[in-house]
């Protein structure tokens, strides 16, 4: 007789404003076991959880066992958490638990542990979240010959921004693109992050690397130089290119920061070197591109003064469009990469909290 398993899909809308978890519009799958059904079932009560850099989050996972098949003990159960890579063909070990033996891996060491709210709880808590923690995680529960899995997506509040260096557009291979984002307090964006940014209105006509090695760009207003006037809005996909030889821009992603971003009030305009020193004299460092985007998008920072940033670019953030200050849209305005000896601009600084 074949095993019978019934799945009931219930749509739930819920938000917890008192923790670092933010969960909206998820589907909960409830497993109902018939008499001869599977002996070990694993479920994720939430398909996605939301948090931010520096926060804590719990990835929910529970398992259900048939006590007639396994008895009452739980010491033989093996719980394994892995992170799925962008190509879904590889998995990165995160945490393994079997009885009293527990082990965390790589950058997760010292930051992950099982919640164990009940005997059947395999939920994983991750503390002090980093930008790299974003992604999909697999919860696997194994007992004897029985096993089950569930996948949970961890999303971070943040902002995607396009980036190119002083050399100009289309000068970065994939590896240089990754480093460029890191240098700006960000990581290379995933397709899902770019897609969400496009849905929020991001329109950019230059192709950039994404974390899976593809090259794409978001268009909300179709036009001739950007795929054609008569095309539909969407993500334009150039496909996958040689990571060493091909050169494009890059889309970066950053999230909340733990510090203060500010425009330094100074009696005179500054050269680049003077701007760096002025921030140091104020107990801070010259701000990075990722920090000005995070302050603009997540904090609503608004300042109509062009200022130097760490990469030698000059920008200013406008959250309230107005005449002479980005009159048509809220944006981080890009002035360019001026001669570093010009005394024409102020400076944006960043002071990290201890």
């Amino acid at each position: 007789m074949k095993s019978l398993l019934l799945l009931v899909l219930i749509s739930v809308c819920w938000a917890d404003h008192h923790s670092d978890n933010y969960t909206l519009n998820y589907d909960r799958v409830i497993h109902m076991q018939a008499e001869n059904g599977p002996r070990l079932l694993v479920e994720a009560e939430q398909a996605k959880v939301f948090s931010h850099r520096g926060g804590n989050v719990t990835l929910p996972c529970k398992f259900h066992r048939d006590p007639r098949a396994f008895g009452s003990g739980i010491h033989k159960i093996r719980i394994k958490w892995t992170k799925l890579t962008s190509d879904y063909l590889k998995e990165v070990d995160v945490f393994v638990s079997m009885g009293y033996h527990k082990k965390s891996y790589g950058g997760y060491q010292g930051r992950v542990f099982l919640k164990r709210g009940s005997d059947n709880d395999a939920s994983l808590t991750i503390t002090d979240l980093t930008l790299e923690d974003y992604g999909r995680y697999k919860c696997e529960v194994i007992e004897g010959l029985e096993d089950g899995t569930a996948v949970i997506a961890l999303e971070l509040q943040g902002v995607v921004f396009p980036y190119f260096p002083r050399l100009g557009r289309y000068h970065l291979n994939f590896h240089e693109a990754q480093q460029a984002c890191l240098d700006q307090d960000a990581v290379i964006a995933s397709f899902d992050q770019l897609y969400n940014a496009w849905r929020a209105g991001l329109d950019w006509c230059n192709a950039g690397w994404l974390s899976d090695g593809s090259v794409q760009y978001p268009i909300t207003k179709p036009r001739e130089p950007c795929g054609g006037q008569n095309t539909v809005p969407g993500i334009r996909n150039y496909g996958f290119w040689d990571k060493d030889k091909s050169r494009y821009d890059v889309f970066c992603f950053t999230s909340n920061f733990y510090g203060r971003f500010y425009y330094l009030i100074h009696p005179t305009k500054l050269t680049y070197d003077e701007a760096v020193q002025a921030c140091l004299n104020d107990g801070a460092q010259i701000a990075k591109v990722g920090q000005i985007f995070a302050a603009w998008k997540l904090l609503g920072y608004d300042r109509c003064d062009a200022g130097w940033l760490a990469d030698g670019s000059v920008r200013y953030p406008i959250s309230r469009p107005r005449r002479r200050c980005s009159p048509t849209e809220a944006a981080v305005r890009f002035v360019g990469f001026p001669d570093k000896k010009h005394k024409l601009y102020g400076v944006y600084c960043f002071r990290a909290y201890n």
Side-chain angles (χ1 to χ4, degrees), residues 33 173 279 354:
Q33 183 177 340
N173 67 24
C279 288
N354 296 325

Side-chain angles (χ1 to χ4, degrees), residues 108-284:
Y108 295 96
Q109 294 185 46
R111 297 195 299 121
V112 292
F113 59 89
L114 292 182
K115 181 182 178 182
R116 299 315 295 261
S118 61
D119 288 344
N120 69 329
D121 191 358
S123 301
L124 184 75
T125 297
I126 308 177
T127 62
D128 193 19
L129 287 168
T130 69
L131 296 176
E132 292 82 357
D133 290 336
Y134 169 92
R136 291 177 173 84
Y137 292 79
K138 185 174 76 173
C139 170
E140 183 176 17
V141 180
I142 305 168
E143 185 168 16
L145 298 178
E146 300 288 334
D147 72 304
T149 63
V151 175
I152 304 95
L154 169 58
E155 297 198 4
L156 299 179
Q157 294 174 313
V159 56
V160 171
F161 61 93
Y163 185 79
F164 60 87
R166 175 178 285 275
L167 292 173
R169 292 189 166 100
Y170 293 176
H171 274 84
L172 300 171
N173 67 24
F174 178 78
H175 311 290
E176 292 166 343
Q178 284 184 310
Q179 187 60 50
C181 290
L182 290 174
D183 291 342
Q184 300 310 317
D185 192 40
V187 293
I188 189 168
S190 69
F191 171 79
D192 288 343
Q193 289 169 332
L194 181 65
Y195 177 77
N196 290 335
W198 167 76
R199 290 188 62 188
L202 179 62
D203 182 284
W204 193 254
C205 198
N206 293 91
W209 292 104
L210 296 177
S211 60
D212 62 359
S214 67
V215 176
Q216 309 193 40
Y217 63 99
I219 294 297
T220 59
K221 303 171 185 176
R223 51 202 184 274
E224 285 307 321
C226 311
Q229 179 72 38
N230 297 321
T231 58
V232 297
I235 307 293
R236 307 283 191 256
N237 190 346
Y238 277 18
F240 295 86
W241 291 79
D242 189 307
K243 291 184 177 181
D244 296 311
K245 298 179 181 179
S246 300
R247 296 186 175 274
Y248 293 96
D249 294 346
V250 63
F251 290 98
C252 303
F253 173 83
T254 192
S255 184
N256 299 53
F257 49 68
Y258 192 64
R260 179 189 172 213
F261 173 89
Y262 62 101
Y263 181 82
L264 180 66
I265 303 301
H266 195 273
T268 63
K269 299 299 183 181
L270 305 163
T271 67
Y272 175 79
D273 289 339
E274 290 171 343
V276 171
Q277 189 59 50
C279 288
L280 290 174
N281 293 343
D282 202 48

Side-chain angles (χ1 to χ4, degrees), residues 45 119 181 189 193 197 208 219 308 329 339 349:
E45 294 182 327
D119 288 344
C181 290
Q193 289 169 332
I219 294 297
W308 292 103
E329 63 177 350
D339 187 323
C349 302

Side-chain angles (χ1 to χ4, degrees), residues 7-29:
L7 301 181
V8 180
L9 184 63
I10 301 177
S11 181
V12 181
C13 180
W14 169 83
D16 181 357
H17 299 289
H18 302 285
S19 70
D20 284 318
N21 294 355
Y22 300 86
T23 307
L24 300 173
N25 298 326
Y26 65 84
D27 293 330
R28 178 173 179 176
V29 178

